[in-house]
Amino acid sequence: MAFNAATYKATTRQQWQDAAEAWNAWGGFLATWLGPATDVMLDMAKVGQGSAVLDIAAGAGQQTLVAAQRAGPSGRILATDISPDILEYALENARIQGLHNVETLEADGEDLDVAPDSFDAAISRVGLIYFPDQQRALTNIMRALRPGGRFAAIVYSTPENNGFFSKPISIIRDRAQLPPPAVGQPGPFSIGSPGALTSVLESAGFRDIEEKVISAPVVFPKAADCLRFERESFGALHQMLSGIEPEAQEAVWAEIGDALSEFETADGFIGPCELVVAAGTK
């Protein structure tokens, strides 16, 4: 079946609508797991006091809040996402923390309509990988940035270095008889090979590009905890399983749990995860 971008986007939007509450509930874990890479991303985007920051595919906004703290009262953060439900959590979390410099906008990054030359920085944490037309999204980001503004993004690297996620995906693809994504299609590892993210930014016209690889192991007491996290929060896995009968789905989840158990150590569960962070200047 040929890839249909409109259908894919509609499905993705619904996935995040369904997973919004769970993703937000796991916010503390996400802050610990992705926090160091988030700091690197914000450093590379040069987010500081007074910065106006555009957050693309912001989700529940954990990285939005970190950016807002850096920008301070004189700065502003606009968090955008395709899912309005998940953005409600982002705004609520900002208000709980007393951050009044955060606004949200339901928007597809490929059709982003914000004022040109209005942001000092733009960021995207594990979001760019899911755009069918990355260059169109990057064109919009470039337009939104002021001259000299920086864009920084985090993506997963390769399947081999992200076993916590690639193993479940591989098992589900096999059991559901799903083909792997074709070259150029969106997916978690679509721009994770060495230099791929840099190449994407170069094609969009960014300059002064730098790229870093960061180890970000997924740490839990047990494999069962990681299984619960992925089962509750990763809507894409449920979508991949949707063609299988419910009873068979339970068997697949059990198989995933067994596969994840190989990452259990004497110090607990340590799931391999490697991230790539790259940034460029308008």
Side-chain angles (χ1 to χ4, degrees), residues 13-30 59-61 81 83-90 92-93 228-229 231-235:
R13 181 182 185 275
Q14 191 58 52
Q15 287 170 5
W16 285 109
Q17 289 284 91
D18 295 340
E21 182 178 2
W23 191 256
N24 181 65
W26 284 95
F29 166 73
L30 294 170
D81 200 279
S83 164
D85 285 3
I86 210 165
L87 284 176
E88 288 183 9
Y89 287 107
E92 179 184 6
N93 292 334
R228 184 165 65 90
F229 165 59
R231 188 167 182 172
E232 291 181 2
S233 303
F234 287 16

Side-chain angles (χ1 to χ4, degrees), residues 43-47 51-52 117-122 141-152 205-210 279-282:
D43 288 344
M44 292 171 70
K46 298 184 178 179
V47 175
S51 292
D117 303 327
S118 57
F119 292 92
D120 303 300
I141 292 169
M142 178 84 80
R143 184 185 303 116
L145 288 171
R146 298 185 178 111
R150 294 277 287 177
F151 170 64
F206 286 95
R207 56 185 175 84
D208 301 329
I209 299 170
E210 54 180 328
T281 304
K282 175 176 177 178

Side-chain angles (χ1 to χ4, degrees), residues 66-261:
V66 181
Q69 290 164 351
R70 286 194 180 207
S74 60
R76 65 185 180 95
I77 317 296
L78 178 62
T80 70
D81 200 279
I82 200 170
S83 164
D85 285 3
I86 210 165
L87 284 176
E88 288 183 9
Y89 287 107
L91 192 59
E92 179 184 6
N93 292 334
R95 298 299 178 256
I96 289 172
Q97 292 194 19
L99 297 168
H100 301 288
N101 56 351
V102 174
E103 298 179 355
T104 61
L105 174 68
E106 179 188 349
D108 179 346
E110 293 181 13
D111 297 306
L112 187 64
D113 185 16
V114 297
D117 303 327
S118 57
F119 292 92
D120 303 300
I123 57 174
S124 184
R125 190 173 81 173
V126 199
L128 189 60
I129 51 178
Y130 294 116
F131 286 110
D133 191 341
Q134 292 165 351
Q135 289 301 311
R136 182 173 174 178
L138 289 169
T139 295
N140 289 331
I141 292 169
M142 178 84 80
R143 184 185 303 116
L145 288 171
R146 298 185 178 111
R150 294 277 287 177
F151 170 64
I154 299 174
V155 302
Y156 297 112
S157 68
T158 61
E160 295 78 14
N161 292 329
N162 285 277
F164 91 100
F165 197 15
S166 62
K167 280 188 176 292
I169 288 174
S170 178
I171 289 169
I172 293 174
R173 284 197 184 283
D174 182 60
R175 298 298 176 265
Q177 299 183 341
L178 298 172
V183 175
Q185 287 184 7
F189 312 112
S190 55
I191 46 176
S193 58
L197 184 52
T198 289
S199 179
V200 166
L201 296 184
E202 286 177 343
S203 296
F206 286 95
R207 56 185 175 84
D208 301 329
I209 299 170
E210 54 180 328
E211 181 176 298
K212 297 181 180 181
V213 176
I214 297 174
S215 177
V218 177
V219 179
F220 283 108
K222 294 184 177 298
D225 299 307
C226 184
L227 177 65
R228 184 165 65 90
F229 165 59
E230 296 191 33
R231 188 167 182 172
E232 291 181 2
S233 303
F234 287 16
L237 299 183
H238 288 277
Q239 179 61 34
M240 292 172 67
L241 280 166
S242 61
I244 301 177
E245 292 297 322
E247 297 80 5
Q249 289 185 25
E250 288 302 320
V252 175
W253 284 116
E255 185 177 354
I256 291 171
D258 289 341
L260 290 175
S261 67

